Amino acid sequence: MLLQFGSMGQFTHTQKIGHSPVAAHFGLTPRRYQSGEIDNPGRISKAGDRDVRAALYAAANAMMMRSVASSEIKSWGLRLMRRKGRRRAVVAVARKLAVIMHRIWADNTEFRHGKMEGTV
């Protein structure tokens, strides 16, 4: 995954207006079909590296379903799961993990367990 982040020096900001360019790089943003008055957000775009996307999904799924440890990301994902369903919630958590990992890599910092800030 670090090799994929190595090619991501082009992303100076993790979050811009709308979707994160980091999540878009890994194909974790919704596809859109727009024609006239029709605006249909579809499934995830599946752009980028399939293996990295699968690893992020597996990590998010393990965090949500298997982990007994509590975290703010897991709590957020479980609330989302009640509203939107398991698959959408796991993809959203995977997207959030990708953004957090990119920030850690870009800032050369360690993960600090605490309140989430600026990760959408």
Side-chain angles (χ1 to χ4, degrees):
M1 200 169 313
L2 185 59
L3 292 174
Q4 283 296 316
F5 281 138
S7 68
M8 294 173 50
Q10 67 220 19
F11 304 123
T12 56
H13 299 291
T14 304
Q15 178 66 39
K16 296 194 180 203
I17 309 266
H19 295 291
S20 165
V22 173
H25 182 76
F26 291 130
L28 293 170
T29 54
R31 294 178 72 171
R32 298 197 77 80
Y33 172 76
Q34 293 179 324
S35 177
E37 293 181 16
I38 298 172
D39 183 12
N40 184 14
R43 299 172 185 245
I44 60 172
S45 66
K46 295 186 181 178
D49 191 351
R50 170 179 51 178
D51 295 331
V52 173
R53 190 173 45 259
L56 287 167
Y57 186 88
N61 194 41
M63 176 188 276
M64 299 271 297
M65 301 298 152
R66 303 268 186 240
S67 175
V68 291
S70 179
S71 71
E72 193 168 336
I73 298 171
K74 180 179 178 177
S75 299
W76 173 79
L78 291 174
R79 285 191 309 269
L80 190 62
M81 186 172 22
R82 284 191 289 272
R83 288 192 327 262
K84 298 290 186 177
R86 186 184 71 79
R87 284 184 171 176
R88 282 187 180 180
V90 172
V91 169
V93 170
R95 186 174 166 264
K96 193 171 291 277
L97 289 175
V99 171
I100 290 170
M101 288 172 47
H102 177 258
R103 279 300 359 134
I104 289 171
W105 176 82
D107 296 342
N108 198 21
T109 58
E110 293 183 15
F111 178 74
R112 294 179 303 275
H113 189 280
K115 185 151 178 66
M116 295 183 306
E117 294 180 19
T119 56
V120 176

